[in-house]
Amino acid sequence: MPTFRHGKNSRLFISTIDASSLFNEMTMSHSVDTAETTVFGKDDRTYITGQRDGTFSASGFIDATTAGTGDPFAKLRNALGSTSLLQITAVPGAPGGSTITAGSMCHMGAGVVTGFETAAPAMGVVTAKFDAHLSDRYDIGRILYAPGAARNSTIAGTAVDSGVVAGTTRGGASHFHITQAGTAGLTSVTVKTQHSSANSVWADVHTFTSTSTGVSRVASTGTIKRYVRGTISAVSGTTPAVRVAIAFARRGSVA
Amino acid sequence: MAVKKGAAVSGPWRVLVGLNYPPNETRAEVGDIVNDLPAADAAWLLEQGLIESPNLTVEASS
């Protein structure tokens, strides 16, 4: 019996922004180029695959309550023409509500912003829309840790079981989004992805240490054992209330 | 002295990648020498090159 997800609980992390409360629709497209190989004598066309590609778009409403560095749309507008990529983690129909259930499927990529659009209808809400073209790998992975509340102490997230007893062999990519660092400053926080063969001993896969809000996308090759999880450690500062989203994608045929 | 891959071995171990392990999420950083890793996990950690014996090297079985 399939378990369907309603889109209402979808979540979206863009760089250091938890943009979930700003958007109400998003589309994640994955595709691959095809090159035709049809030769004389064939009644049907044949193709081989080329490079994978991906795009992302989201639309919602302009938040006009903040300005300057607090403007959540500034990153999107400023990204137009920038050489920097925007790191995107999109969780369609995220189960768990404000705290996303570990293991929820997500789309993970870093993209060039190709468009930012604002519309102001006379009889409607001012809307915003942005589009991105993903650069390099557009992964499909799993949320490891994305709580609704901020944290100020160490925690190990719930283990996510791939079901592959021997683990997977093509490496993986981690996304870390620190979207809140605390009102009086954060001295340091370390976030990690870890893997384990039997949900017992956990070995670091990727690590990101930051002293403020920040974002990191890390990929590596090699074996990823059956279980993965996210952790927060070394949280220090006056009021280190950090809000973190951690996701991991296995590369190969298992997400 | 070399240890065959998959052979039953025990610590101490030199940690080559940061580890958390039971009980109580004990943390070991790179370079630490530990004696209390769960024995059942030593095999995969050795195979992955995440730990090594301070005195032994691991070779693939023939």
Side-chain angles (χ1 to χ4, degrees):
Chain A
M1 185 90 179
T3 302
F4 300 114
R5 299 281 180 208
H6 199 284
K8 68 180 182 179
N9 285 328
S10 297
R11 298 286 298 275
L12 174 59
F13 301 92
I14 305 171
S15 184
T16 56
I17 306 166
D18 181 348
S20 310
S21 62
L22 304 171
F23 292 94
N24 66 352
E25 185 172 345
M26 60 185 182
T27 303
M28 298 126 286
S29 298
H30 300 251
S31 61
V32 66
D33 292 336
T34 53
E36 187 165 350
T37 54
T38 311
V39 295
F40 296 132
K42 295 286 289 185
D43 290 329
D44 302 289
R45 293 188 171 197
T46 59
Y47 299 89
I48 57 174
T49 57
Q51 287 84 12
R52 289 182 293 253
D53 199 3
T55 59
F56 177 86
S57 65
S59 55
F61 308 105
I62 284 287
D63 174 9
T65 59
T66 55
T69 56
D71 180 356
F73 287 96
K75 279 192 186 299
L76 305 183
R77 293 193 305 267
N78 296 342
L80 274 172
S82 168
T83 54
S84 299
L85 302 177
L86 275 188
Q87 181 175 312
I88 297 166
T89 302
V91 196
S98 61
T99 297
I100 306 173
T101 304
S104 303
M105 181 176 284
C106 61
H107 299 247
M108 304 159 55
V112 173
V113 174
T114 56
F116 181 81
E117 182 179 302
T118 302
M123 291 176 287
V125 181
V126 177
T127 60
K129 179 177 186 297
F130 95 99
D131 300 287
H133 204 145
L134 280 299
S135 181
D136 209 347
R137 189 74 177 259
Y138 195 8
D139 292 291
I140 295 179
R142 302 283 171 178
I143 288 290
L144 300 187
Y145 186 73
R151 289 202 63 85
N152 59 8
S153 59
T154 294
I155 191 169
T158 304
V160 174
D161 184 0
S162 69
V164 182
V165 174
T168 51
T169 58
R170 295 186 180 178
S174 296
H175 271 198
F176 304 104
H177 299 261
I178 301 175
T179 60
Q180 178 183 315
T183 54
L186 172 76
T187 305
S188 182
V189 62
T190 298
V191 288
K192 296 176 183 290
T193 49
Q194 297 183 315
H195 67 147
S196 177
S197 177
N199 194 6
S200 171
V201 175
W202 292 88
D204 295 353
V205 180
H206 299 134
T207 300
F208 176 49
T209 297
S210 182
T211 57
S212 63
T213 56
V215 67
S216 176
R217 172 179 167 85
V218 195
S220 61
T221 58
T223 297
I224 303 297
K225 303 302 284 186
R226 176 175 178 172
Y227 299 89
V228 290
R229 73 176 186 180
T231 69
I232 300 176
S233 60
V235 187
S236 61
T238 310
T239 53
V242 291
R243 205 179 287 259
V244 176
I246 304 172
F248 183 77
R250 293 174 184 269
R251 290 186 166 166
S253 58
V254 178
Chain B
M1 179 179 176
V3 175
K4 295 285 186 188
K5 181 179 171 185
V9 289
S10 58
W13 305 111
R14 178 182 291 117
V15 174
L16 303 177
V17 170
L19 300 175
N20 290 64
Y21 58 95
N24 305 318
E25 289 284 336
T26 303
R27 178 69 185 172
E29 298 294 349
V30 174
D32 289 351
I33 306 292
V34 297
N35 252 320
D36 52 352
L37 278 180
D41 286 274
W44 78 267
L45 294 167
L46 271 172
E47 184 182 319
Q48 296 290 300
L50 307 179
I51 59 172
E52 66 179 8
S53 170
N55 303 313
L56 307 177
T57 56
V58 176
E59 67 180 22
S61 55
S62 54

